[in-house]
């Protein structure tokens, strides 16, 4: 058995429990001073505070040097596996083209689909491993990854196999989501209904059969997939045993949040344009609001009403949405900064939003998302005396050391 001691923790700050936090509980964090953590074979064995040390001998000691320690961050929403990039869209944006204008002209997601179809599994794995390294270096220790740049049987399966291999090869814990309905592919132009039917009859059963995804997601959006097509898809996915996520109200509110709440989706994502009825549906459905502030920043849109959703007792999570189009940044710390500055969330609420709430929204709340005995020893030693400093020093990477399953990985 390997025993590791993490000592000299100035403040250990963490939400608690294996469930998501909402309302006033979203802002409740435990704060222990002069703390130490004993880890056995990657699992937290004991946490004590007040300058005392756990008993026994240790194979390794890690000195936190008086800094703040939190759980490893959980990124609950990424589209991390893709071919190419789309830096040329900057000029199109500057010339006034909107996100959906670019997509409807055959670019945007469809541009990435062309490049992703051309890429081999090995090329996608190499590129994505680099992204995962970068994320770990910034304090993220668990991430969700969506498919959705293949848009046909062969290429969606290819992406899901890549995602599975990333989880096997990398220290990052990876949770796979199938997102075949991310856009209507060129072969089905003008035939969104038929594309959804093909997904339901051909792709979803195969994904289930090979156990390649835990969640299913869809881009419910004006001129992408309408509410009726979305309902057909999520009903089919649910009947096959998948849990649900919906990209809802990113640009236009066309019923995505209402559908998410009604179907008991685990999370609804984006929510920039969410309405009162959408919020009521999420609250009733127990659906987590997965808010993506760096996407609002990059699309130059307004920000999801996260504060209001906390008041409405909807659990709020904050994720990166890393993808080549609407958010080419995987920096979850920047999303933390925006959570405070734009959503007006407190540092405690934001910590909950990037740890236990997304962990629960990807079904990992029982193993990660808080620092407690019995959970995985995934944690960040920040280059900061308190978490407020991390919320404040935007633009710098504040993660000093990152520990994954008890091992120092940064
Ligand atoms: O979450 N909106 C849909 N999907 C992504 C963007 C994908 C892309 O532009 O490549 C998002 O914003
Ligand atoms: Fe997304």
């Amino acid at each position: 058995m390997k025993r590791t001691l993490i000592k000299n923790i100035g403040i250990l700050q963490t939400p608690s429990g294996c469930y998501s936090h909402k309302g006033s509980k979203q802002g409740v964090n435990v704060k222990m001073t002069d703390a130490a953590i004993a880890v056995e074979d990657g699992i937290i064995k004991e946490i004590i505070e007040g300058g005392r040390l756990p008993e026994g001998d240790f194979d390794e000691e890690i000195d936190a040097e008086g800094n703040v320690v939190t759980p490893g961050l959980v990124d609950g929403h990424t589209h991390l596996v893709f071919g190419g990039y789309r830096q040329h869209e900057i000029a199109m944006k500057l010339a006034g083209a909107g996100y959906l204008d670019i997509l409807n002209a055959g670019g945007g997601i469809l541009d990435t689909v062309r490049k992703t179809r051309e890429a081999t599994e090995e090329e996608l794995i190499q590129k994505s491993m680099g992204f995962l390294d970068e994320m770990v270096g910034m304090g993220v220790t668990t991430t969700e990854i969506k498919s959705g740049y293949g848009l046909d049987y062969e290429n969606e399966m290819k992406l899901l196999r890549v995602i599975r291999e990333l989880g096997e090869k990398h220290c990052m814990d990876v949770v796979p989501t199938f997102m075949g309905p991310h856009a209507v592919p060129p072969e089905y132009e003008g035939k969104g209904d038929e594309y959804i039917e093909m997904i339901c009859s051909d792709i979803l059963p195969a994904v289930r059969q090979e156990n390649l995804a835990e969640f299913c997601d869809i881009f419910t959006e004006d001129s992408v997939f309408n509410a009726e097509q979305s309902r057909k898809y999520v009903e089919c996915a649910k009947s096959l045993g998948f849990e649900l996520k919906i990209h809802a109200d990113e640009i236009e509110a066309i019923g995505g949040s209402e559908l998410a709440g009604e179907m008991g989706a685990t999370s609804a994502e984006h929510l920039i344009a969410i309405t009162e009825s959408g919020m009521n549906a999420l609250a009733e459905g127990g659906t987590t609001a997965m808010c993506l502030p760096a996407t609002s920043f990059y699309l130059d849109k307004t920000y999801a009403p996260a504060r209001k959703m906390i008041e409405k007792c909807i659990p709020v999570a904050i994720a990166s949405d890393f993808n080549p189009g609407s958010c080419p940044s995987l920096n979850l710390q920047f999303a933390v900064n925006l959570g405070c500055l734009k959503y007006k969330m407190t540092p405690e609420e934001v910590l909950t939003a990037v740890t236990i709430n997304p962990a629960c929204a990807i079904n990992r709340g029982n193993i990660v998302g808080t620092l407690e005995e019995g959970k995985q020893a995934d944690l960040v030693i920040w280059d900061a005396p308190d978490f407020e400093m991390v919320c404040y020093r935007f633009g710098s990477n504040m993660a000093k050391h990152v520990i994954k399953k008890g091992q120092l990985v940064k």
Side-chain angles (χ1 to χ4, degrees):
M1 186 201 305
K2 181 174 179 198
R3 299 191 80 229
T4 304
L5 173 68
I6 303 150
K7 63 179 188 184
N8 204 8
I9 300 171
I11 299 174
L12 184 152
Q13 183 169 339
T14 178
S16 45
C18 298
Y19 46 88
S20 53
H21 298 277
K22 57 188 180 182
S24 60
K25 304 266 169 49
Q26 171 111 27
V28 178
N29 291 172
V30 172
K31 291 181 192 173
M32 297 178 177
T33 46
D34 290 326
I37 303 174
V39 178
E40 276 183 16
D41 287 339
I43 303 294
I44 298 173
K45 178 76 181 159
E46 189 182 357
I47 302 179
I48 50 177
E49 60 180 324
R52 291 175 302 124
L53 287 179
E55 284 177 11
D57 296 329
F58 291 91
D59 304 295
E60 189 184 7
E61 290 195 6
I62 298 169
D63 188 346
E65 296 173 322
N67 287 298
V68 63
V69 167
T70 70
L73 306 186
V74 177
D75 195 336
H77 179 141
T78 79
H79 308 252
L80 177 146
V81 182
F82 55 85
Y85 289 93
R86 307 217 300 266
Q87 66 274 41
H88 62 279
E89 285 181 5
I90 290 246
M92 298 165 86
K93 280 159 62 112
L94 291 176
Y99 181 79
L100 292 178
D101 301 329
I102 299 173
L103 177 60
N104 290 332
I109 294 175
L110 296 176
D111 186 18
T112 300
V113 168
R114 281 187 287 276
K115 294 165 181 160
T116 307
R117 286 178 176 180
E118 278 164 19
T120 65
E121 276 186 45
E122 200 39 52
E123 285 164 349
L124 292 169
I125 289 167
Q126 286 309 319
K127 180 174 174 182
S128 308
M129 290 286 278
F131 291 146
L132 293 178
D133 288 347
E134 213 183 316
M135 287 168 76
V136 166
M138 296 186 128
V140 176
T141 48
T142 300
T143 191
E144 184 252 20
I145 305 180
K146 302 173 199 296
S147 71
Y149 292 115
L151 308 190
D152 62 21
Y153 182 95
E154 184 195 330
N155 285 289
E156 282 297 312
M157 297 299 269
K158 173 176 88 177
L159 290 178
L160 290 171
R161 282 194 302 271
V162 167
I163 295 170
R164 178 169 62 193
E165 196 155 336
L166 292 172
E168 287 166 2
K169 280 194 165 156
H170 204 276
C171 70
M172 180 83 81
D173 279 328
V174 171
V175 176
T177 295
F178 170 71
M179 196 175 177
H182 192 192
V184 178
E187 309 81 75
Y188 282 84
E189 202 187 330
K191 295 186 288 188
D193 287 349
E194 284 172 44
Y195 181 55
I196 293 288
E197 271 165 38
M198 186 280 287
I199 288 179
C200 291
S201 61
D202 297 359
I203 310 187
L204 280 180
V207 174
R208 177 85 286 176
Q209 175 80 21
E210 293 193 35
N211 205 15
L212 281 168
E214 294 180 34
F215 292 90
C216 284
D217 199 342
I218 180 164
F219 190 13
T220 302
E221 183 60 60
D222 181 41
S223 75
V224 188
F225 295 103
N226 62 34
E228 204 182 315
Q229 291 163 337
S230 303
R231 176 179 294 278
K232 188 160 190 291
Y233 169 73
V234 295
E235 280 177 352
C236 172
K238 195 171 180 174
S239 73
L240 287 169
F242 291 103
E243 293 197 53
L244 306 175
K245 298 182 174 295
I246 298 182
H247 275 60
D249 308 337
E250 177 174 356
I251 295 155
E252 303 280 343
I254 62 154
S257 295
E258 286 81 352
L259 182 63
E262 181 195 326
M263 294 296 294
T266 312
S267 58
E269 338 269 305
H270 284 289
L271 313 174
I272 293 172
I274 193 170
T275 61
E276 203 68 26
S277 84
M279 285 189 259
N280 292 340
L282 298 190
E284 272 168 41
T287 300
T288 293
M290 187 72 72
C291 297
L292 311 166
T295 307
S296 290
F297 173 82
Y298 187 73
L299 294 180
D300 203 13
K301 296 268 173 200
T302 53
Y303 287 80
R307 184 73 274 139
K308 194 161 179 198
M309 292 195 277
I310 291 174
E311 278 152 26
K312 280 190 169 275
C313 272
I314 300 164
V316 169
I318 293 178
S320 71
D321 193 24
F322 176 49
N323 73 75
S326 67
C327 188
S329 167
L330 50 67
N331 185 344
L332 191 55
Q333 290 179 41
F334 181 51
V336 162
N337 305 132
L338 293 173
C340 288
L341 297 172
K342 298 295 183 181
Y343 291 158
K344 313 287 181 208
M345 289 166 64
T346 65
E348 291 79 7
E349 287 171 335
V350 169
L351 185 63
T352 300
V354 290
T355 54
I356 189 63
N357 280 7
C360 292
I362 56 173
N363 281 347
R364 295 296 184 276
N366 53 345
I367 52 170
V368 298
T370 67
L371 295 177
E372 289 173 289
E373 285 156 26
K375 282 214 178 175
Q376 229 165 255
D378 291 3
L379 52 101
V380 185
I381 301 173
W382 298 97
D383 190 7
D386 50 42
F387 192 64
E388 284 175 346
M389 182 70 95
V390 178
C391 294
Y392 152 84
R393 288 283 317 275
F394 81 92
S396 291
N397 180 6
M398 300 298 286
K400 185 170 194 185
H401 295 296
V402 180
I403 295 167
K404 178 69 190 171
K405 294 183 187 161
Q407 308 271 2
L408 200 59
V409 288
K410 179 190 178 178

